[in-house]
Each structure stands twice: as C-alpha cells, then as structure tokens.
Amino acid sequence: MMKGRAGFHFLFLLMVCSSTVRADANLSLDVLGEEFTLQHFPASGNQLILYVAPGYGFNVRGTATAKALADLGVEVWMLDLAENLFVPQGNESIHSFDGRYVASIIEQAYEKSGKNITLLSSSFGAIPVLRGARLWQANNSKLKHAYLNGAILFSPELYRTTPPLGTDPDFEPIASATNIPVMIYQSALRNNRWQLGSVIERLEKNKATVYRKILPQIFSFFYQIDELPMTLKTLRELPAEIPKVIKLLEATPTPLSAVEIAHAKKIKNKSLDISLKKYEGDKTPLPLDLHDIHGERIIRNDYKDKVTVVNFWATWCPPCVEEIPMLNRLSEKMEGRNFELLSINFGQEKSTISEFLKKVNVEFPVLLYDGGRTAGNWNTIVLPSTFVVGPDGEIAYAVNAAIEWDSPEVVTALKRLADGSSSDKRK
C-alpha cells in the first residue's frame, strides 16, 4: 500500500516537473453554435470534474492535476474559454464571460457521461464557474436530481477590479447570487488571503454552504514560480483529497432554484495605478513591529516629521523586482530630507530573501513576513503595494502597482511633501 502511494507521488512529481502533460484525448463539442475543444482525461468512476481555466489558461501543473485525478477514477474535462472563443487571455476576458458556455457544457457533460458534475477553477476562473452554475440552475429548475455537486475553488478572486489602496473591493454580483455548495482552498501566502472572510460572507448571503481549507506556506497552488517545499508537497498530495471533497459536496444539497442577481454598477476606478495617487482610505498608518533581514527589530508607531515610504513586495513578483532600482534611486534623490523607505516582504522565508539579496542590490531595509497580518491590516490585495506617509503622520499617497519612483514628477511630489509645501497639504 505504501509503495503504491509513494510511487504515485513520485510519478506525479515527475509530471509536475516535466514540460508537458498531455490529455488522453480531446473532446469536440457544439456549444451554443460555437465549436469547442476540451482536453479530456477519461476515468471509470461515477464523478466528472469540469475544470475551467483561470485568466491565463492552463499550465503543466493544472494538467498534471487533471491527470492525477483521472488516475484516481475522476473524469476531467478541461475548458479554456478564452482559447475557444478566440479572445485574449487575461482576467479582463474572464470577467466578460456570462456563464452561458459553462452552463451548456455542464449539461453536455451529464448527457454524455451520466456522471455527477463538480466544477473546479482558481483565481478569477471562479467568476465564470459560479455564473455558469447559476445559469444551469435557472435552466434546470424542474429536474428531479441535481447532478451538479457544487464547485471547488482555489484562492477565488471574486472582485470586479483591483480597488484603490485603502478601499474595500467591489465584488462581482455573482458572489452574492450563489447558493450551490462550495469548497474553497485558500493559499495562505496569496495576496487575497485576508479577503477570504469577505468572500465567504457574500457566498453565504443566500445560504450557500461554504467549506474552506487554508493551505499553509503556499503562494499559489498552480503558479509555476511558486516552488516552495509545501507547494510541491501539496501538488503531490492534494489530488488524493479531491475525491473526498467531491463526496462532501455531493452529500450537500444543491438547490435547483437560481438566486436573483443584482445589476452590476459601473466601475469608476481603473484596476492598477500608473502614477503616484492621492490616498482615499483611512489616513492613519498602522504601527509596524517586525524584524529585518539582519534580525534587527523595527518598530514604527509615530510617523511624524518625515516622509515614510512603506512598500509591500516579493521576489516572485516581477513588477516588484523591476521597481527596486527605482526605489534605490528615490532614496538617493531624497537625501538631505527627513525620509525613510521600508519594504515588507510578503510570504517568503528568510533564506530565500537572503539569496535574492545576493543577486539584486536593495539599498533599503527589508522587513520579514509575519504571516501576512501586516499586509492584511494595511488592506493590500496586489503586489507591489506602496504607501507614502507625510510629515503630519498621515498617509498622503498610495500605489497598487509598480511605478517610476525616481521620475521627476514623483520625486518633486515627495520633496514638496517633505518640505510641507502648501500645494501638497490635504484638507
């Protein structure tokens, strides 16, 4: 028994590390007049997973997971909506899918297989999954048997757009119009970890049964760059847990009545900042009490009488790395003024950061991860996220993206802030 399980884990790890994992066959379907091609991993069991790709499609980890599930007796259909509809990959496209295609494929999957269906996706892929489930309910309200078990979602992103720092996300209406059973696997190190409570609150609004499990020491289960030991371990072990989750969802009643969905309001704000932006939230910065990479304890309770830049970042975040030289130069250009730059690494081990610092010159303090609570308290959702606190001790600016920190416009604004220029004082 142990030999078989160990052998399975070894083979799965080989699949994860290989460049490609191929489906056993492809399925061609007529979906609302469109010809769709799905990757297909057949299995002899009585359960089928419709695995919907997130914004940027499937990678080898997702495909390897599908293969592992098929080996365990769960049939898997892999659907990439963007690829089949010939639209650009990305989260913007994911937001545009209204659920019709997912609902149609749920019906076809049952007609062709006779198996109960479980939906699966990650990140923003949760949006078309839940929209599709709701539309399936609306189309099948007279069924005697709800063959849709529910949905398994990995670190679901259900907000409409990235909000300005300091403000709460505006969630997609489908989050509050869901009543099917849902299992959430939340990566503990992912940026949206501290939004999980808000996500569950909305899902439960119409009595959806929500199960949840936090995946410790993991940034993203399906993110190729995440090679943390716990991530690779989970990649090996989690497929064996999914059939148990399917049984749990199957035993939880799935309503056949669709919840009325609210009309989505027009989005006012752009997703990511492209320049220094006035802060819109609570202007009081939170205290910091962390250790830096050298073991020194850094405490900041009073931010007055200087400009303080607080930057949240990670080595696996390309925009974060790209802005490091610009932040170095910003420090140089602010020389002679009361100025401090503090960076808080998000979710990485000290050894990983130390290796990174041997290769990349970082000329400002790097504070270590505290379980994500500091980032959560500062209400950060994306990386990098940067706050600028003025000499009055209040947050003046915030940026939820990488910008040119050494540009004349930014440097001038921060110098004026440091000098107490009336043009930068906020009412």
Side-chain angles (χ1 to χ4, degrees):
M1 179 72 175
M2 290 303 294
K3 284 186 177 180
R5 180 171 292 183
F8 166 74
H9 287 171
F10 176 72
L11 288 172
F12 183 74
L13 182 59
L14 285 178
M15 289 192 293
V16 168
C17 297
S18 65
S19 58
T20 58
V21 178
R22 296 185 181 277
D24 293 346
N26 284 331
L27 281 174
S28 293
L29 301 175
D30 183 333
V31 183
L32 305 177
E34 302 278 354
E35 184 179 346
F36 273 44
T37 300
L38 284 71
Q39 296 181 66
H40 182 212
F41 291 91
S44 58
N46 64 353
Q47 300 292 339
L48 185 151
I49 284 179
L50 175 56
Y51 182 2
V52 178
Y56 292 92
F58 294 112
N59 60 25
V60 66
R61 289 187 177 183
T63 311
T65 300
K67 179 66 168 62
L69 288 168
D71 290 343
L72 292 168
V74 180
E75 184 173 347
V76 181
W77 291 17
M78 299 182 72
L79 167 64
D80 188 329
L81 286 164
E83 182 177 76
N84 278 283
L85 293 171
F86 301 101
V87 299
Q89 296 279 4
N91 296 331
E92 186 174 345
S93 294
I94 280 286
H95 280 86
S96 69
F97 300 135
D98 60 12
R100 291 178 299 155
Y101 299 104
V102 171
S104 175
I105 295 173
I106 293 172
E107 294 174 358
Q108 293 195 50
Y110 180 71
E111 290 170 2
K112 291 180 179 295
S113 70
K115 301 179 181 183
N116 279 8
I117 314 299
T118 300
L119 304 173
L120 186 148
S121 194
S122 61
S123 186
F124 287 100
I127 294 171
V129 158
L130 296 182
R131 286 174 177 168
R134 181 189 170 278
L135 193 55
W136 173 86
Q137 289 173 300
N139 294 340
N140 293 276
S141 60
K142 296 182 180 181
L143 282 178
K144 294 182 179 180
H145 166 59
Y147 55 80
L148 178 65
N149 296 326
I152 300 173
L153 305 175
F154 288 85
S155 300
E157 309 269 13
L158 291 172
Y159 42 82
R160 300 177 67 204
T161 186
T162 302
L165 281 177
T167 62
D168 293 326
D170 179 16
F171 285 89
E172 287 284 356
I174 189 59
S176 299
T178 293
N179 61 2
I180 65 168
V182 176
M183 173 67 184
I184 295 178
Y185 282 99
Q186 177 64 51
S187 297
L189 305 186
R190 194 168 176 83
N191 314 12
N192 69 342
R193 162 64 181 90
W194 301 105
Q195 295 293 332
L196 179 60
S198 297
V199 170
I200 292 174
E201 179 183 350
R202 281 159 178 79
L203 290 174
E204 291 180 339
K205 182 177 179 180
N206 279 288
K207 296 183 170 37
T209 300
V210 182
Y211 305 98
R212 83 275 331 243
K213 182 175 181 178
I214 304 297
L215 300 176
Q217 301 176 48
I218 291 176
F219 164 64
S220 179
F221 185 75
F222 297 110
Y223 191 38
Q224 297 283 99
I225 296 178
D226 181 0
E227 295 184 346
L228 294 170
M230 185 59 75
T231 300
L232 299 180
K233 181 176 184 291
T234 304
L235 277 167
R236 296 192 301 270
E237 296 178 352
L238 192 60
E241 186 177 307
I242 296 299
K244 300 174 186 177
V245 174
I246 291 174
K247 287 184 179 180
L248 176 64
L249 294 176
E250 185 179 30
T252 306
T254 298
L256 285 171
S257 56
V259 175
E260 185 176 350
I261 192 165
H263 178 70
K265 297 179 181 179
K266 185 177 180 180
I267 297 175
K268 296 180 180 179
N269 300 307
K270 294 182 179 179
S271 292
L272 296 176
D273 298 328
I274 59 174
S275 62
L276 203 61
K277 189 171 181 179
K278 290 285 187 180
Y279 186 65
E280 299 180 14
D282 182 352
K283 294 182 173 65
T284 304
L286 297 174
L288 294 176
D289 187 352
L290 299 167
H291 286 84
D292 70 10
I293 193 69
H294 304 295
E296 181 181 351
R297 187 179 180 187
I298 305 295
I299 300 175
R300 295 292 180 271
N301 293 313
D302 185 356
Y303 296 84
K304 290 185 177 180
D305 301 323
K306 63 181 174 182
V307 170
T308 305
V309 173
V310 181
N311 172 251
F312 292 87
W313 71 292
T315 66
W316 43 255
C317 162
C320 300
V321 176
E322 289 172 7
E323 72 175 3
I324 287 174
M326 292 178 279
L327 287 168
N328 287 337
R329 291 191 290 269
L330 172 64
S331 296
E332 294 174 4
K333 293 183 178 183
M334 292 296 290
E335 188 173 357
R337 287 175 169 81
N338 289 330
F339 176 81
E340 182 176 37
L341 171 55
L342 299 172
S343 71
I344 301 173
N345 180 270
F346 190 93
Q348 295 184 277
E349 297 292 333
K350 181 178 178 179
S351 58
T352 301
I353 304 168
S354 297
E355 285 300 312
F356 174 83
L357 295 178
K358 292 177 183 177
K359 303 172 185 176
V360 177
N361 180 37
V362 178
E363 298 176 357
F364 41 85
V366 176
L367 311 187
L368 300 179
Y369 179 65
D370 65 341
R373 294 192 180 277
T374 298
N377 290 339
W378 284 68
N379 205 18
T380 63
I381 295 178
V382 300
L383 294 181
S385 285
T386 308
F387 299 81
V388 179
V389 185
D392 59 359
E394 296 185 349
I395 302 174
Y397 301 103
V399 183
N400 64 3
I403 66 169
E404 295 182 16
W405 286 99
D406 59 337
S407 69
E409 294 80 11
V410 171
V411 173
T412 297
L414 297 194
K415 285 183 176 179
R416 290 166 113 182
L417 187 62
D419 295 341
S421 171
S422 57
S423 62
D424 257 321
K425 287 182 179 178
R426 287 154 296 128
K427 296 180 181 179

